[in-house]
Amino acid sequence: MPELPEVETIRQDLRAVLRKKKITAVTVRKPRMVVGSPRKLVVTLRGNTITEIDRRAKLLIFHLQRGDHFLLLHLKMTGQLIYRSPRTTIAGGHGWPPVGPDLPNKYSHLIITFADRGQLFFNDLRQFGYVELVTREHKEMITKTYGIEPLTPEFTWPAFREAVRPRTAPLKQVLLNQAVIAGLGNIYVDEVCFYAKVRPQRRAHRLTHAELKQLYRGCNHIIQQAIKHRGTTFSDYRDTQGRRGNYWRRLKVYGRAGKPCRRCATALQKTMVAGRGTTYCPQCQP
DNA sequence: GAGAGTGTTGTAAC
DNA sequence: GGTTACAACACTCT
């Protein structure tokens, strides 16, 4: 499940390889995954050039040279963006390192081909992801709905405290709320709560100053570490070369229900909070 | 082989 | 508004 660290890893990798590349062809195999007119998307992209790749929360934003349009792309739960360089594309993937399964596959719902014959494949097993061509105004309207963005200068301790403190909902729900903190998902919320030694069920407005501070530290620390290790692959996530993320080895609670806590060896418990599977240590997180 | 579980986000309903 | 439920979908696991 791509969350902020996974989407950021993809953004950085794609930026290095797609910037200034001219699009020569766009194949929409699953029109449902295009918000708006697939035809207009194809016509606008063809012959256009990608000038920059941005990210807001889990949303990728491709800047285009011609026309005041932006391409928004959301991976939702099972989306993948795999890039094949001209060599691997033309050679049919016989190179080294191994390039993974043949592409396109049955989940490749959108394919963008560049002038140098490189190709970008948008794969999505569950088809929840989408692409959308928007105007600058529309893009700004959408990005405005997100809360404070980790890793940016606006993600300060006072901003975090004021965003979280007044909320009466369970902490888990508050941290998952993209309008409060942008980019956290189920995996990293559980990890941040463990880091801060706070039970995810706790109501945000009942947290102490010290607990909030630890949560703030946790957001920064966990996200930075996860990006450093190129994200978490639990099932479907792959980077732009089809490789797994390495942070899963470092997960303390997510996916470890019933296993011993790495801090105190107590069996980790799994429950439902805000409709999501939630794992925590009953000993370390009172 | 049926049914539950997986989790993002928008939307609907309380 | 806070909160909950659900739908979009397809695959794995029980």
Side-chain angles (χ1 to χ4, degrees), chain A residues 139-233:
Chain A
K139 181 203 79 171
E140 252 126 62
M141 208 177 69
I142 289 170
T143 54
K144 252 201 312 204
T145 65
Y146 289 110
I148 47 175
E149 179 78 40
L151 310 179
T152 69
E154 67 171 11
F155 195 76
T156 61
W157 157 239
F160 178 89
R161 188 197 341 134
E162 295 317 312
V164 175
R165 195 168 58 173
R167 300 281 172 156
T168 59
L171 175 64
K172 170 107 186 188
Q173 189 177 343
V174 174
L175 295 182
L176 281 173
N177 187 342
Q178 302 298 298
V180 180
I181 314 282
L184 292 179
N186 211 30
I187 297 174
Y188 295 111
V189 166
D190 279 10
E191 294 298 315
V192 166
C193 288
F194 178 80
Y195 175 98
K197 303 185 178 176
V198 178
R199 206 171 282 216
Q201 296 92 322
R202 297 268 306 281
R203 302 269 160 180
H205 68 131
R206 300 251 188 248
L207 297 171
T208 67
H209 187 86
E211 287 169 332
L212 279 171
K213 189 88 190 231
Q214 278 305 99
L215 287 164
Y216 172 67
R217 288 209 185 100
C219 287
N220 283 307
H221 181 259
I222 302 276
I223 289 172
Q224 276 164 21
Q225 286 298 303
I227 290 175
K228 184 177 159 194
H229 294 280
R230 302 187 56 79
T232 299
T233 292

Side-chain angles (χ1 to χ4, degrees), chain A residues 44-155:
Chain A
T44 308
L45 289 185
R46 201 194 292 139
N48 221 324
T49 300
I50 293 172
T51 56
E52 185 55 281
I53 304 175
D54 248 354
R55 178 188 57 75
R56 181 78 165 106
K58 306 169 192 171
L59 188 67
L60 283 167
I61 305 168
F62 294 78
H63 296 229
L64 301 166
Q65 191 169 59
R66 184 161 49 73
D68 208 19
H69 286 104
F70 298 83
L71 183 72
L72 308 184
L73 191 153
H74 203 300
L75 297 165
K76 289 287 182 91
M77 297 180 51
T78 53
Q80 304 175 337
L81 273 179
I82 314 280
Y83 176 75
R84 285 294 149 86
S85 70
R87 198 190 322 190
T88 41
T89 303
I90 294 163
H94 73 285
W96 187 262
V99 292
D102 282 339
L103 289 171
N105 59 35
K106 63 191 260 201
Y107 307 118
S108 305
H109 303 313
L110 185 88
I111 304 163
I112 299 178
T113 306
F114 298 92
D116 64 358
R117 312 209 65 179
Q119 286 188 305
L120 184 66
F121 299 90
F122 184 8
N123 304 337
D124 193 353
L125 185 148
R126 292 176 72 176
Q127 302 172 30
F128 287 176
Y130 66 87
V131 290
E132 181 178 16
L133 194 68
V134 296
T135 61
R136 180 177 298 274
E137 295 71 40
H138 194 164
K139 181 203 79 171
E140 252 126 62
M141 208 177 69
I142 289 170
T143 54
K144 252 201 312 204
T145 65
Y146 289 110
I148 47 175
E149 179 78 40
L151 310 179
T152 69
E154 67 171 11
F155 195 76

Side-chain angles (χ1 to χ4, degrees), chain A residues 2-21:
Chain A
E3 304 178 25
L4 191 155
E6 290 75 33
V7 180
E8 178 60 18
T9 300
I10 288 173
R11 185 191 74 84
Q12 289 173 9
D13 289 358
L14 281 186
R15 186 176 185 277
V17 83
L18 290 188
R19 227 154 52 107
K20 299 179 183 171
K21 283 214 173 142

Side-chain angles (χ1 to χ4, degrees), chain A residues 172 186 190 254 270-273 275-279:
Chain A
K172 170 107 186 188
N186 211 30
D190 279 10
Y254 183 86
K270 183 164 183 181
T271 180
M272 200 78 123
V273 182
R276 309 298 247 300
T278 300
T279 311

